[in-house]
Amino acid sequence: MKHIYLDNAATTATDPEVVDAMLPYFSEYYGNPSSIYSFSRKVKAAVEDARNIIASFIGANSKEIVFTSGGSESDNFALKGIAFANKQKGNSIITSSIEHHAVINPCKFLEKLGYEVIYLPVDSNGLINPDNVKNAITEKTILISVMHANNEVGTIQPIAEIGKIARENKIYFHTDAVQTFGHIPVNVDDLNVDLLSMSAHKLYGPKGIGALYIRKGTKITSLIHGGDQERKRRASTENVPAIVGFGKAVEIANTNMNNVAKRQTILRNKFINTIFDKIKDIQLNGHPTKRLPNNINISFKGIEGESIMLNLDMEGISASTGSACSSSSLKPSHVLLALGLSHELAHGSLRLSLGKHTKAEDIDYVIQVLPKVVEKLRAMSPLYKK
């Protein structure tokens, strides 16, 4: 059976060039980067080379890049680190109602410690209104955190505009760019951000490695204490092979990102336009144009997304019903509910996320299979009425 992987928003295949770049740092150049003898200096240089590549890619200084274990740690570092370091200034944080759980759950944790968190609504396309951000600011606001693009519905937020508001009010601004980094242009100055979260495994790098951009002069508290690694920002011996792989993945993205995005946009639009002709009673979730090139999120009336996903799996197609971090939950997506969908429609959602290896014939195959799956499930569903 053929296998078509359309869950690249959850994770991507590690690029073979990335694997090749990593291999020597497992057994040949295995020294601790913190050691000062010559054997380890080569290892330290490899770490700094990767840091330079990543910094250059987002228009930052290499000293502003702190390696972490991934996007979740980067988000936690940004929110808790700013909250703890700036509590004497205020205790209010502004975020959106559709953030990833790596932002939502740290916010809930901070609320238990006495912080105020304002969860701003989004419109039916998943867009946050910058005016709502401006109106939510008080003298106690210390941080604004709004994701660059949503992991479920793909909507790209007006980050630069929100960042300008934050800067005018001298408030730190963080964006979770895990879904956009390496897929669409990300420049920290253009976006007006002070902190930006990244993860390697979303752009064909290894799992377990990410980074947080921290603008120079930002007052932030470390969460992991121990040694002096990462300019005393994040203790722990560096994961050298993964860092090298992260740098290589960014290097590859820098050469092909725009072409990949153009091709994915064409395939995405072809799928959406064709499937709406073939299947009735469905709706596209997320902004029709201000969305990630590889994201398709559709709700199907009268059937559950999990049933669609399992039936597609039997046909060799890997897809998802939303975020991989909440795929085991029976609750409907908080993102889709925030967009105004009913519980029924939210439960009936399917997310397809294309990768750089997705071919036109892959999309054609899904277009052929999906209507049959939907027809079969609706025929059995007591909820669907023609």
Side-chain angles (χ1 to χ4, degrees):
M1 180 189 294
K2 66 167 66 182
H3 178 225
I4 297 173
Y5 183 76
L6 293 177
D7 199 18
N8 289 276
T11 196
T12 58
T14 307
D15 193 292
E17 289 185 57
V18 171
V19 175
D20 289 343
M22 293 171 65
L23 286 176
Y25 294 91
F26 285 105
S27 56
E28 186 176 354
Y29 304 115
Y30 52 85
N32 189 317
S34 296
S35 299
I36 62 173
Y37 40 75
S38 58
F39 181 64
S40 286
R41 286 200 295 270
K42 180 177 179 63
V43 179
K44 178 69 171 178
V47 170
E48 296 311 312
D49 285 346
R51 197 189 310 274
N52 286 329
I53 290 169
I54 294 165
S56 176
F57 190 60
I58 61 172
N61 186 293
S62 63
K63 294 178 181 179
E64 298 173 311
I65 302 298
V66 177
F67 288 115
T68 66
S69 62
S72 291
E73 184 189 332
S74 294
D75 286 342
N76 274 262
F77 188 5
L79 271 76
K80 296 175 186 175
I82 293 294
F84 296 158
N86 296 274
K87 192 170 185 180
Q88 78 289 344
K89 178 185 175 185
N91 69 338
S92 184
I93 297 167
I94 298 171
T95 189
S96 84
S97 57
I98 63 167
E99 296 296 309
H100 191 277
H101 285 106
V103 167
I104 294 286
N105 287 338
C107 283
K108 291 179 179 178
F109 170 79
L110 289 170
E111 285 181 289
K112 293 178 182 178
L113 300 182
Y115 289 85
E116 174 192 48
V117 181
I118 299 169
Y119 301 91
L120 295 178
V122 294
D123 66 16
S124 59
N125 288 323
L127 274 177
I128 190 168
N129 186 338
D131 286 339
N132 289 342
V133 177
K134 184 185 299 183
N135 294 333
I137 293 173
T138 70
E139 69 278 0
K140 294 183 179 181
T141 306
I142 55 175
L143 176 66
I144 300 169
S145 180
V146 176
M147 66 197 327
H148 193 187
N150 185 264
N151 52 299
E152 293 189 40
V153 299
T155 299
I156 300 171
Q157 301 294 344
I159 295 301
E161 191 174 347
I162 297 170
K164 185 179 179 183
I165 293 169
R167 186 156 294 175
E168 289 171 349
N169 288 273
K170 298 181 179 178
I171 296 168
Y172 290 127
F173 181 41
H174 164 252
T175 190
D176 178 342
V178 166
Q179 290 292 331
T180 56
F181 178 75
H183 299 283
I184 62 174
V186 173
N187 181 284
V188 294
D189 288 334
D190 292 344
L191 295 176
N192 298 313
V193 297
D194 301 297
L195 305 109
L196 184 141
S197 299
M198 301 162 268
S199 184
H201 78 103
K202 305 291 188 178
L203 67 148
Y204 312 95
K207 297 173 180 63
I209 188 69
L212 178 66
Y213 159 76
I214 306 174
R215 186 177 292 277
K216 182 181 178 181
T218 298
K219 188 177 181 182
I220 189 168
T221 295
S222 298
L223 301 187
I224 300 177
H225 302 96
D228 292 341
Q229 292 91 351
E230 297 301 292
R231 299 173 63 84
K232 300 183 180 180
R233 288 277 172 85
R234 199 260 191 190
S236 184
T237 299
E238 296 88 344
N239 184 352
V240 177
I243 289 172
V244 170
F246 191 6
K248 186 63 177 179
V250 171
E251 185 178 75
I252 294 170
N254 193 38
T255 64
N256 65 12
M257 180 178 72
N258 292 335
N259 288 334
V260 170
K262 288 177 183 177
R263 188 167 56 82
Q264 288 178 337
T265 301
I266 292 170
L267 293 178
R268 180 200 71 191
N269 292 343
K270 175 186 179 181
F271 179 89
I272 293 171
N273 293 335
T274 306
I275 214 68
F276 270 76
D277 286 337
K278 289 180 172 289
I279 305 176
K280 296 187 299 182
D281 296 325
I282 62 177
Q283 77 171 53
L284 180 69
N285 300 315
H287 199 281
T289 56
K290 296 176 183 176
R291 70 186 302 129
L292 291 169
N294 70 335
N295 177 280
I296 302 165
N297 189 304
I298 296 175
S299 286
F300 299 79
K301 183 180 178 181
I303 52 178
E304 292 194 350
E306 185 172 328
S307 298
I308 302 173
M309 181 186 72
L310 293 174
N311 275 266
L312 290 178
D313 186 39
M314 289 188 285
E315 299 292 339
I317 301 165
S318 296
S320 80
T321 56
S323 170
C325 301
S326 59
S327 59
S328 60
S329 173
L330 295 177
K331 297 179 181 179
S333 160
H334 72 285
V335 173
L336 296 180
L337 293 180
L339 267 62
L341 272 71
S342 65
H343 277 62
E344 178 191 335
L345 269 181
H347 271 301
S349 68
L350 179 74
R351 182 187 70 180
L352 304 173
S353 45
L354 286 60
K356 67 179 182 179
H357 303 299
T358 304
K359 303 180 180 67
E361 50 262 41
D362 297 333
I363 296 302
D364 290 338
Y365 179 68
V366 181
I367 289 172
Q368 175 188 342
V369 170
L370 183 57
K372 298 176 183 177
V373 168
V374 172
E375 182 180 11
K376 180 180 76 171
L377 292 174
R378 281 178 170 169
M380 298 185 293
S381 173
L383 298 176
Y384 183 68
K385 297 178 181 179
K386 294 182 180 179

